[in-house]
Amino acid sequence: MPNSIAYLSMIIWPFTILFLLNRYGTAKGILLSVLAAYLLLPAAFEINFPGIPALTKDTLTSMVLLAYLIMTRQPIGYKSLKGVHKLVFLLLMISPFMTSITNQERYMFIQGLSLYDGLSQAGVGFLNFLPFLLGLAYFKTYERQVVLLRLVGVAAVFYALPVLWEIRMSPQLHTTLYGYFPHSFIQQYREGGFRAVVFLGHGLIVAMFLAVGFASLFAVHKAKIRAWRFDNRLLLFLLMVTILLQKSFGAIIYALIVIIVVSMFSYRKTHLFSVAVAAMFLTYPVTSSMGVFPHQQLVNAAASVSPERAQSLGFRFEQENTLLEHALKKPLFGWGSWGRNRVYDPETGVDLSVTDGNWIATLGSGGWLRFIGWFYFVVMAIYLAYRSQNHLRGAEDEKNKQLLMSLHSLIVALILIDQMPNSSLQSLYWLIIGGLFGRYGEIQKESQIKKTVPVNSS
């Protein structure tokens, strides 16, 4: 049961956001607001008022930022979307209404959907997507890209301290401060020790954030930019040790991918790797349903590391197949909300589903329209980063710009691939994705200006 501090933190949060915006300016204030909300406010907690979307740490932050930008007449980012991008965004916003219209009948013991459900889901979807638009508008320059990656990396270093404490003492900070534990406590026990949860809701989400912070800090380090007052190598070592102790096989693999790619790949090969990850993600539902994806080979590989991990991975694949079969009964617009995308025992009504991956939750609830619309912007950010290489040739400080674009793209690719086994695509990551998406437009504009400026003859 959430205590008074949980409610109080949500009440004072809008004033904290306004302070950050006024103290650090719009761009940095947005980043600090999203970062702090993600890392510090209570997880799996919402306040419900009639007529508005449920207030979570993500939706509340988006509401306040949206109101501030509207009142101060500053851009939200929507106008930066052009052509097909704007069309996909509009389709994404209307997709909940299409889902509601096609799901007015009952499913098992669950009620049918109404247009109000569509309106509610559209509102929540917009608020969750808003950080992408803010990243698009406020982190599209090289200087802002450096700020974004540097602050994410430094935030991960700071967060490593309570993470290490919980690994040693057990995950109890959330319960101590907010009065409840946000998930299953037993799931945080692994290999004779604990995974930290802090204020993110689950140990796997914490591990993913540490991996993203490690990749961000590595990018800044390779660009020879000092992230903080300490040597970057010391900070990277601290993060790597913390990731190992967090005991998340996925996060360890992500960190190793960053080290290997940065050490061995050129800018172009790094971009190609990210594009390949995006292509694999987009085709995964099809290859999985056709039995082409090598599920069993991955389980066998995991078994060579740990039988427990192999069993967990095999269970996830079994659940995915069951949920995918159910999702494809309503392929275009999905099953909607209220748990209609899940599978239940026909006699007892017991929920038989475990929905871990963001991709299957999105496909099951919103169909192919929402799946393509939701992940279009992630995949397109990676593709546009790949295309930016030609525009950056001959640019001022080309080496660092090429480097940060390729590693920023790699970070987004890791975020994307994590949506297959987990569901970690929240506000902070949308901001990072939006920043990468916006960089292409800015790079293209700078390239065009350079070509039109006349060269003075001597």
Side-chain angles (χ1 to χ4, degrees):
M1 184 70 178
N3 59 21
S4 57
I5 296 178
Y7 288 93
L8 182 62
S9 67
M10 299 289 280
I11 292 172
I12 67 174
W13 187 241
F15 303 101
T16 306
I17 293 175
L18 294 177
F19 167 78
L20 293 172
L21 290 167
N22 289 317
R23 174 67 176 82
Y24 296 102
T26 302
K28 197 171 182 179
I30 288 171
L31 175 56
L32 291 173
S33 298
V34 172
L35 254 176
Y38 181 64
L39 298 177
L40 301 177
L41 290 183
F45 175 69
E46 61 183 40
I47 301 174
N48 290 286
F49 291 107
I52 62 172
L55 298 179
T56 65
K57 59 182 178 180
D58 290 329
T59 58
L60 176 61
T61 301
S62 289
M63 282 182 183
V64 176
L65 291 174
L66 179 63
Y68 175 83
L69 294 174
I70 291 175
M71 288 189 294
T72 56
R73 297 183 179 180
Q74 297 185 68
I76 297 171
Y78 172 72
K79 291 183 179 179
S80 298
L81 293 174
K82 306 296 182 182
V84 68
H85 306 322
K86 184 173 290 187
L87 175 62
V88 173
F89 171 75
L90 294 175
L91 288 174
L92 182 61
M93 290 299 102
I94 68 170
S95 67
F97 294 99
M98 303 302 296
T99 300
S100 295
I101 292 172
T102 56
N103 281 276
Q104 296 184 352
E105 77 288 353
R106 294 181 65 87
Y107 164 57
M108 299 282 290
F109 54 89
I110 305 175
Q111 65 190 38
L113 303 183
S114 65
L115 287 179
Y116 177 81
D117 292 307
L119 178 63
S120 175
Q121 290 299 308
V124 171
F126 174 75
L127 292 173
N128 288 330
F129 189 74
L130 180 64
F132 171 88
L133 298 176
L134 299 181
L136 182 64
Y138 293 97
F139 292 93
K140 58 187 178 181
T141 66
Y142 169 70
E143 292 75 18
R144 294 277 176 81
Q145 186 181 37
V146 171
V147 171
L148 175 64
L149 297 177
R150 186 173 64 84
L151 285 184
V152 171
V154 171
V157 171
F158 275 101
Y159 217 62
L161 301 179
V163 168
L164 290 171
W165 187 89
E166 283 202 342
I167 289 172
R168 177 65 181 86
M169 304 301 295
S170 80
Q172 51 186 283
L173 290 175
H174 199 287
T175 304
T176 301
L177 184 60
Y178 294 124
Y180 70 101
F181 194 75
H183 208 279
S184 168
F185 189 86
I186 193 64
Q187 287 190 20
Q188 316 315 320
Y189 186 80
R190 180 74 66 178
E191 298 177 2
F194 291 99
R195 287 172 172 160
V197 172
V198 197
F199 306 115
L200 292 183
H202 197 285
L204 294 177
I205 299 178
V206 173
M208 182 59 192
F209 171 68
L210 293 174
V212 170
F214 178 84
S216 301
L217 192 59
F218 213 127
V220 172
H221 174 66
K222 292 298 291 185
K224 298 181 180 180
I225 299 169
R226 194 180 183 91
W228 197 33
R229 63 183 65 181
F230 298 104
D231 191 304
N232 289 342
R233 291 169 294 184
L234 178 62
L235 303 181
L236 286 167
F237 177 76
L238 172 63
L239 282 179
M240 191 68 212
V241 170
T242 308
I243 291 170
L244 291 171
L245 293 175
Q246 183 68 358
K247 297 178 286 291
S248 168
F249 188 66
I252 294 171
I253 292 297
Y254 299 151
L256 291 176
I257 287 174
V258 171
I259 295 172
I260 293 170
V261 168
V262 172
S263 302
M264 301 179 62
F265 287 13
S266 64
Y267 309 140
R268 179 176 174 80
K269 289 182 179 178
T270 301
H271 280 296
L272 288 174
F273 177 85
S274 300
V275 170
V277 168
M280 182 185 70
F281 179 87
L282 277 182
T283 57
Y284 180 69
V286 176
T287 58
S288 182
S289 63
M290 295 175 62
V292 177
F293 193 85
H295 291 111
Q296 189 56 50
Q297 288 84 341
L298 291 177
V299 173
N300 294 339
S304 64
V305 177
S306 168
E308 183 181 356
R309 295 187 186 278
Q311 182 180 7
S312 174
L313 185 61
F315 177 76
R316 289 191 181 203
F317 287 151
E318 290 175 4
Q319 289 294 313
E320 281 184 0
N321 289 334
T322 302
L323 289 165
L324 182 59
E325 183 180 348
H326 178 64
L328 294 180
K329 294 177 182 176
K330 286 181 174 281
L332 291 180
F333 308 119
W335 288 87
S337 54
W338 302 108
R340 292 169 60 91
N341 62 313
R342 303 173 72 85
V343 177
Y344 301 88
D345 187 290
E347 296 182 1
T348 65
V350 174
D351 188 354
L352 303 176
S353 307
V354 177
T355 310
D356 289 317
N358 194 345
W359 77 272
I360 188 61
T362 303
L363 183 62
S365 60
W368 281 111
L369 179 61
R370 182 166 180 80
F371 177 87
I372 294 173
W374 195 242
F375 292 109
Y376 167 86
F377 294 97
V378 190
V379 172
M380 186 55 63
I382 294 172
Y383 173 68
L384 292 178
Y386 169 77
R387 288 186 57 188
S388 71
Q389 296 173 89
N390 293 333
H391 296 291
L392 281 171
R393 288 173 183 167
E396 183 181 353
D397 200 11
E398 177 189 352
K399 182 179 179 181
N400 270 10
K401 289 180 179 179
Q402 292 274 22
L403 175 67
L404 286 191
M405 281 301 289
S406 64
L407 296 184
H408 194 161
S409 179
L410 178 62
I411 292 169
V412 172
L414 296 179
I415 292 171
L416 180 63
I417 204 67
D418 195 57
Q419 306 318 304
M420 292 170 69
N422 301 309
S423 185
S424 59
L425 188 54
Q426 298 182 10
S427 55
L428 174 62
Y429 299 151
W430 275 120
L431 189 70
I432 293 173
I433 295 163
L436 180 64
F437 196 104
R439 279 293 289 135
Y440 174 76
E442 190 69 11
I443 289 170
Q444 188 180 41
K445 184 191 303 181
E446 292 171 356
S447 177
Q448 291 173 347
I449 292 173
K450 183 179 177 181
K451 290 178 181 178
T452 57
V453 172
V455 179
N456 294 327
S457 58
S458 55

